[in-house]
Amino acid sequence: MAARESQPMKSYDLCECGTPLRPIERPTPKPAGTEILLKVLAAGVCHSDLHLSEGYFDLGGGRRLRLEDRGMKLPLTLGHENVGEVVAAGPEARGVKIGARVLAHPWIGCGSCKVCRRGEENLCLAMRSLGVFLNGGYADHILVPHPRYLIDIGDLPPERVAPLACSGVTAYGALKKIGTLKTEPTVIIGAGGLGLMCLALHRAMGGHSAIVVDIDPAKRAAAAKAGAQAVIDGNAPDTVQQIIEATKGGAFAVVDFVGSPATARLGIDSLIRGGKYIIVGLYGGEITVPLPPIPMRAQTIQGSYVGTLAELTELIELVRRTGLPPVPVATRPLAAVNDALRDLRDGKVIGRLVLTPAV
Ligand SMILES: [Zn+2]
Ligand SMILES: [Zn+2]
């Protein structure tokens, strides 16, 4: 291991928002304290990396949420969906085996704020997520702060497991918020990587049936092939009516993986009384919602952001029991990361792209 550690590590870093990631070499870090060093076997390319590399989220009305104001420091190695092999551990990192293949939970909090103490580190008041605040997996090596964030994956294929750290746990966390999952249809807006993951997990969790809405015919076809009970064109003039018909009276649960003004309107308008609209997507913008229908129709508008360590652990157990979600995965070498991001931005990706830095 000494020889390996003496070699420099390679990463692709965001050095300036709005510009391509740049190849960087630096000394391979030596884990201190509870830290663990992983050799990155698979790093998923996520839509939120586009937002991170642009440096902001659109709040609507010309306003922006700037990530540097939220504590993102450049240069930063992106990549928050990582599977790696343990190659070194700090003196206080207990219970880790050198050579183990692990999924790294990226949604790391401070561990001590009120939110973390409730088990929701993913919503921490001082996040230190991998690939957002700490260096991520668009690199041949990554440091993880503590062994508690590592989930052993045994012989599961790294490129299929990596997307579970964000795409998977985000879909899982949203589905867990639905009380009618097994008894009523669930409407899923957006059939990109997240939507298809959601569809697969919905089935694995014993979901009643899924109705998928997307504006892209290729994505609707992918959703139909993946087992959606109905697919609906999000650009049709009567999309809401079609959802109400497909759900026989309106949806008890809509999960929105787009999060645009148009999809939010669609989601809320499709609810039956007592229904819940769960917004996950970070497309951005704003909407105006009339207030009286919220109490009168007892509707819930709820946000869902990634997932907890407990949820990711549950998800890996679910996958071991029911099989990996059959979401299409294509692999690319680490050096192709900027091309991968461009293809994702251009909407050319069906399923998930995963970088394989160690290959
Ligand atoms: Zn992500
Ligand atoms: Zn915290």
Side-chain angles (χ1 to χ4, degrees):
M1 240 172 341
R4 198 182 284 162
E5 280 170 34
S6 65
Q7 284 184 4
M9 66 169 274
K10 208 178 275 170
S11 63
Y12 279 75
D13 290 11
L14 180 64
C15 297
E16 193 187 330
C17 291
T19 67
L21 307 184
R22 287 187 214 151
I24 303 282
E25 281 196 8
R26 60 167 73 89
T28 305
K30 207 172 165 351
T34 59
E35 291 174 339
I36 301 99
L37 182 69
L38 306 180
K39 179 172 80 175
V40 181
L41 302 174
V45 180
C46 175
H47 216 93
S48 62
D49 289 325
L50 298 178
H51 290 291
L52 292 169
S53 63
E54 279 150 11
Y56 66 89
F57 290 96
D58 176 11
L59 296 175
R63 289 166 300 136
R64 287 176 169 184
L65 175 69
R66 289 186 67 246
L67 288 158
E68 287 188 86
D69 296 340
R70 293 274 314 275
M72 185 174 86
K73 296 219 170 29
L74 302 184
L76 170 74
T77 311
L78 299 181
H80 50 267
E81 296 185 340
N82 307 304
V83 166
E85 181 190 318
V86 176
V87 291
E92 287 148 46
R94 313 222 186 280
V96 275
K97 276 201 216 88
I98 302 298
R101 295 166 138 217
V102 292
L103 175 67
H105 177 74
W107 314 112
I108 297 174
C110 69
S112 57
C113 74
K114 281 185 173 187
V115 181
C116 281
R117 289 206 309 268
R118 286 187 65 218
E120 295 188 310
E121 268 190 72
N122 56 313
L123 305 177
C124 172
L125 305 176
M127 290 297 302
R128 39 186 198 135
S129 312
L130 299 176
V132 184
F133 299 107
L134 301 179
N135 281 336
Y138 292 175
D140 50 24
H141 288 79
I142 182 174
L143 265 186
V144 178
H146 194 282
R148 69 189 298 261
Y149 302 112
L150 303 179
I151 302 170
D152 201 295
I153 68 157
D155 52 8
L156 292 171
E159 71 281 4
R160 302 278 306 282
V161 175
L164 299 175
C166 177
S167 171
V169 83
T170 297
Y172 186 74
L175 289 168
K176 289 268 289 191
K177 294 181 172 71
I178 300 176
T180 54
L181 192 77
K182 295 183 180 173
T183 53
E184 293 288 340
T186 293
V187 175
I188 298 168
I189 302 180
L194 256 174
L196 292 181
M197 179 68 84
C198 185
L199 192 54
L201 294 180
H202 176 269
R203 175 186 290 227
M205 291 164 78
H208 177 276
S209 56
I211 293 155
V212 177
V213 182
D214 201 290
I215 57 173
D216 179 346
K219 294 198 171 126
R220 288 200 298 277
K225 203 171 146 210
Q229 186 208 294
V231 290
I232 294 172
D233 180 359
N235 267 345
D238 62 342
T239 307
V240 170
Q241 204 47 45
Q242 288 189 49
I243 294 174
I244 290 171
E245 272 165 34
T247 52
K248 300 190 169 62
F252 278 105
V254 176
V255 187
D256 182 355
F257 290 111
V258 180
S260 71
T263 59
R265 175 71 60 209
L266 179 65
I268 294 167
D269 288 349
S270 302
L271 295 179
I272 194 169
R273 292 179 181 222
K276 190 185 266 194
Y277 166 69
I278 299 168
I279 176 164
V280 178
L282 289 163
Y283 182 91
E286 61 184 335
I287 59 163
T288 303
V289 184
L291 297 177
I294 298 179
M296 289 170 72
R297 300 171 64 87
Q299 291 173 336
T300 304
I301 298 175
Q302 181 168 14
S304 190
Y305 180 67
V306 297
T308 64
L309 178 57
E311 284 170 340
L312 186 57
T313 307
E314 274 173 39
L315 175 56
I316 299 302
E317 282 164 17
L318 177 73
V319 159
R320 283 193 188 283
R321 275 200 316 275
T322 63
L324 280 154
V327 174
V329 167
T331 58
R332 303 250 179 112
L334 176 61
V337 61
N338 285 311
D339 295 341
L341 289 167
R342 190 198 52 225
D343 288 352
L344 193 60
R345 183 177 288 120
D346 294 346
K348 286 186 190 156
V349 178
I350 301 268
R352 209 71 169 165
L353 289 178
V354 176
L355 305 171
T356 51
V359 175

